[in-house]
Amino acid sequence: AYFLAYILSPRLCHRITGYLEEEAIYSYTEFLKEIDKGNIRNTRAPAIAIDYWRLNKDATLKDVVEVVRADEAHHRDVNHFAADIH
């Protein structure tokens, strides 16, 4: 369905994806607030996340969420830009 929608309107699909990325950023921000409040334990980051995101060996869950949120922000910007140029 998305493929067909993209053929019909790439601009719309990129815009929708950009908005979905914005919602992800909001969700990660709320998650970080819960870590800061102590409602979610800021445990050691999993080794796979440390390797994938090239984090320090002593990285925490908060570090992982921050880098994932930044990645989502990049995707948001790319998709809104793509919508603007179509």
Side-chain angles (χ1 to χ4, degrees):
Y2 185 83
F3 177 73
L4 182 59
Y6 193 88
I7 289 173
L8 296 174
S9 181
R11 179 183 197 143
L12 176 65
C13 289
H14 281 292
R15 188 68 69 201
I16 290 170
T17 301
Y19 289 137
L20 289 172
E21 299 292 354
E22 287 179 24
E23 285 300 312
I25 294 163
Y26 173 79
S27 296
Y28 286 121
T29 300
E30 293 301 307
F31 193 85
L32 288 168
K33 287 178 186 176
E34 294 301 312
I35 292 173
D36 289 340
K37 289 181 195 174
N39 295 331
I40 297 174
R41 281 189 28 208
N42 190 21
T43 59
R44 187 179 181 318
I48 193 167
I50 291 171
D51 291 342
Y52 182 82
W53 294 106
R54 297 183 181 130
L55 299 172
N56 292 328
K57 295 298 178 191
D58 62 344
T60 63
L61 176 61
K62 183 176 180 178
D63 297 323
V64 174
V65 175
E66 287 174 340
V67 71
V68 171
R69 182 180 63 173
D71 189 56
E72 297 294 341
H74 174 70
H75 295 160
R76 173 204 57 204
D77 296 343
V78 167
N79 277 284
H80 283 309
F81 175 76
D84 290 343
I85 63 172
H86 275 287

